[in-house]
Amino acid sequence: MRLFLALVPPPALRARLAELADLAHARCGGRRMPDASLHLTLAFLGEVHEAQAVALGGWVRSLEIPPGDWRLDRWGTFQRPGIVWVGSRHPDPPLEALQRRLWDELAPRGIGGRPGRYIPHVTLLRRAHALETDGLPDIRLDWSYNQLELIHSITDARGARYATLARSGSP
């Protein structure tokens, strides 16, 4: 099972991110992320055995996530593999502390792969034909969060989709 930990936007924010994805797609082309797939990855766990996924689900449900607010105010790109994203102009210490805490707690659970540099972002496009974000509208969105999700990335004949396996603070 291919898993990751993420913050999932509330419906109104997801709708606004979808509008931004449409604008970026019109300018840059590529593959637009489906609305239901818009999220902020905190930790990509990679391939995990089913028994380990069950244990991770229990751990995630037991987590208490301190409330936070993340400001999205910047367009960005990753040259390879042609990603257009939205994120923050400035570091967000509480969000970065949450990401570090998760990796610290994942290591004893047998999950490695902590990234060297964490750039919080929401991917809007993949395989963009052009990575030109000049001229796209200014962004100022606030994302209040207090829960994260353990998500299974499923690829099958229908394509890629995500399924939530557990939410923090859930019974």
Side-chain angles (χ1 to χ4, degrees):
M1 303 178 78
R2 189 175 162 107
L3 304 180
F4 62 94
L5 297 171
L7 299 179
V8 175
L13 179 59
R14 177 172 274 160
R16 183 65 183 120
L17 291 168
E19 291 170 4
L20 295 175
D22 288 340
L23 292 171
H25 188 255
R27 181 182 247 336
C28 303
R31 185 170 60 93
R32 185 193 178 286
M33 298 302 296
D35 295 358
S37 297
L38 297 172
H39 67 276
L40 167 65
T41 300
L42 294 167
F44 179 74
L45 311 181
E47 290 295 327
V48 173
H49 295 289
E50 190 169 342
Q52 192 175 25
V54 170
L56 287 168
W59 168 68
V60 166
R61 284 187 285 280
S62 74
L63 289 173
E64 292 297 326
I65 303 303
D69 292 296
W70 181 42
R71 166 138 315 144
L72 294 91
D73 58 2
R74 171 185 174 203
W75 292 94
T77 62
F78 296 133
Q79 186 71 28
R80 293 173 52 169
I83 290 178
V84 175
W85 52 267
V86 291
S88 297
R89 291 184 192 282
H90 305 288
D92 186 293
L95 188 60
E96 292 172 352
L98 173 59
Q99 192 260 355
R100 282 191 308 274
R101 172 187 155 204
L102 292 172
W103 279 111
D104 289 345
E105 293 184 27
L106 284 164
R109 289 171 170 76
I111 304 290
R114 179 191 300 246
R117 182 171 177 226
Y118 179 59
I119 301 173
H121 67 280
V122 177
T123 298
L124 302 177
L125 305 175
R126 294 188 185 278
R127 293 188 285 249
H129 306 302
L131 296 176
E132 182 55 54
T133 59
D134 288 344
L136 289 171
D138 290 341
I139 305 165
R140 186 181 166 110
L141 301 173
D142 292 314
W143 182 339
S144 295
Y145 61 86
N146 64 358
Q147 187 176 60
L148 64 83
E149 297 185 11
L150 175 64
I151 299 175
H152 180 195
S153 176
I154 303 163
T155 304
D156 57 22
R158 294 180 288 174
R161 58 191 165 83
Y162 298 150
T164 298
L165 301 180
R167 288 182 178 86
S168 63
S170 299

